Amino acid sequence: MVVASPSPIKSEKRQSSIELPIIDLSMERSEVSRQIVKACEDYGFFKLINHGVPHDIIDTLEEESFKFFGKSVAEKLKAGPASPFGYGCKNIGFNGDVGEVEYLLFHTNPLSISQNSELISNDPSKFSNAVKGYIEAVRGVGCEILDLIAEGMWVPDTSVFSRLIRDVDNDSILRLNHYPALPLTLKERDTSPSSTLHPHQLSQRIGFGEHFDPQILTILRSNDVAGLQISLKDGLWVPVIPDPTSLCVNVGDVLQAMTNGRFVSVRHRVMANSCKPRLSMAYFAAPPLHACITPQPELFTPHVPSLYRSFSWADYKKATYSLRLGETRLDLFRKL
Ligand code: GA4
């Protein structure tokens, strides 16, 4: 349910918050698959409860992540730069995008995690086991969601999507994002009666600028600090209420293409305006580089014939990294 808007500011339309569709993975299978398909068509985002990722796995990774981000700048920089994997601070991608965020990027291949953990933690095996345990659990959830999607869309080959991320050569990544708390001085100025600035002008610190996720599916877990916002069809930015017990799932560009545009990859961003640090763990489920991405013929209709040309994930990745963060890339692969 979308909650009514408070007084909007002039420069940008605002809405108070959005309750994403809630999918309970413990419900009856055909009902879950029906609801997931509807959520992916209507919103491109949903909240997953009873997801089965053990709390201790989540808690350990959160603790290990905070331990790393709490280190000195000099220590953290030893694990960088994030090109392609490792520690990054403020710089996002390679084309000049920046945000109030620091992060660790990993390829989900176990060897790459072990190698990167050496520079990240004083107890590398504890850190790499936490990362590997989380990835394994969340990949399982991703495969389950993708099978349920195929079932709910009556695609006969129900593994057609999940096979891509089960493949040993899958190109999935994990991103641990730390959005530092707002410095106290800013917060004080924000609320000070003598401030000449409108409070909203000071509460617009962008953590991760607006973008679409390029992969198949993103599964995000965050602590109880707000920040994620999604862009509704009418251009309104709406905050998603944080819920550390659930997972937030969203459709990526590749799944939009494979479902022939029935599912929507939605523009989103993260604001960093809290006096508490936000920590999120984002698993981006991606196909192998050589995989051929093509719309499913079962999803063509006389009104909606094949909308996208076939492309490899390597082609799509290349286009993604050559553009700025906020660009729409899927249109480049649309048939005329
Ligand atoms: C957005 C989603 C993921 O965080 C990410 C990002 C990637 C990066 O940070 O290196 C990108 C961005 C993301 C899309 C456009 C390109 C690539 C930064 C950027 C400017 C890891 C991903 O796969 O695409």
Side-chain angles (χ1 to χ4, degrees), residues 92-93 97 173 175 208 211 213-215 284 320-321 325 329:
I92 298 172
D97 290 289
I173 52 184
R175 178 175 205 129
F208 205 110
H211 66 283
D213 287 346
Q215 293 83 359
F284 299 94
T320 295
Y321 280 92
L325 181 61
R329 313 150 215 124

Side-chain angles (χ1 to χ4, degrees), residues 225-240:
V225 175
L228 177 64
Q229 299 187 342
I230 67 176
S231 171
L232 296 185
K233 286 190 192 89
D234 50 11
L236 284 185
W237 279 107
V238 286
V240 172

Side-chain angles (χ1 to χ4, degrees), residues 1-2 18-24 27 34-49 230 232 240 243 246-249:
M1 185 196 60
V2 176
I18 188 171
E19 185 67 90
L20 297 176
I22 299 174
I23 312 288
D24 181 347
M27 281 185 314
R34 195 190 61 76
Q35 289 190 12
I36 292 182
V37 169
K38 182 153 179 29
C40 292
E41 286 174 341
D42 295 351
Y43 285 88
F45 265 84
F46 62 88
K47 177 169 150 172
L48 193 69
I49 60 169
I230 67 176
L232 296 185
V240 172
D243 174 4
S246 70
L247 297 174
C248 179
V249 181

Side-chain angles (χ1 to χ4, degrees), residues 129-304:
N129 286 337
V131 174
K132 286 177 197 167
Y134 182 75
I135 289 171
E136 204 183 307
V138 94
R139 183 187 356 252
V141 174
C143 290
E144 179 73 348
I145 294 170
L146 292 173
D147 289 347
L148 285 158
I149 286 173
E151 288 168 36
M153 295 185 109
W154 302 99
V155 173
D157 177 1
T158 55
S159 310
V160 69
F161 306 122
S162 67
R163 196 182 296 128
L164 296 170
I165 66 167
R166 279 200 181 97
D167 193 303
V168 281
D169 292 327
N170 77 84
D171 192 39
S172 307
I173 52 184
L174 180 78
R175 178 175 205 129
L176 302 174
N177 286 317
H178 179 244
Y179 300 93
L182 203 60
L184 204 62
T185 45
L186 258 190
K187 198 75 197 160
E188 278 163 355
R189 270 170 48 200
D190 195 354
T191 50
S192 152
S194 60
S195 169
T196 50
L197 291 167
H198 189 286
H200 282 311
Q201 288 174 284
L202 278 170
S203 58
Q204 291 298 303
R205 209 171 60 141
I206 293 185
F208 205 110
E210 57 182 84
H211 66 283
F212 299 90
D213 287 346
Q215 293 83 359
I216 302 177
L217 205 66
T218 304
I219 304 183
L220 180 101
R221 191 271 174 186
S222 71
N223 66 352
D224 60 351
V225 175
L228 177 64
Q229 299 187 342
I230 67 176
S231 171
L232 296 185
K233 286 190 192 89
D234 50 11
L236 284 185
W237 279 107
V238 286
V240 172
I241 301 161
D243 174 4
T245 65
S246 70
L247 297 174
C248 179
V249 181
N250 65 281
V251 171
D253 296 346
V254 166
L255 193 55
Q256 174 168 332
M258 291 187 85
T259 57
N260 203 34
R262 258 181 71 181
F263 284 7
V264 279
S265 170
V266 170
R267 202 181 269 282
H268 54 284
R269 68 182 182 186
V270 180
M271 305 306 286
N273 300 313
S274 176
C275 29
K276 277 174 67 187
R278 174 178 161 94
L279 189 100
S280 67
M281 311 163 182
Y283 168 75
F284 299 94
L289 287 171
H290 57 78
C292 174
I293 309 303
T294 192
Q296 289 303 290
E298 297 84 4
L299 304 176
F300 302 167
T301 67
H303 289 299
V304 190

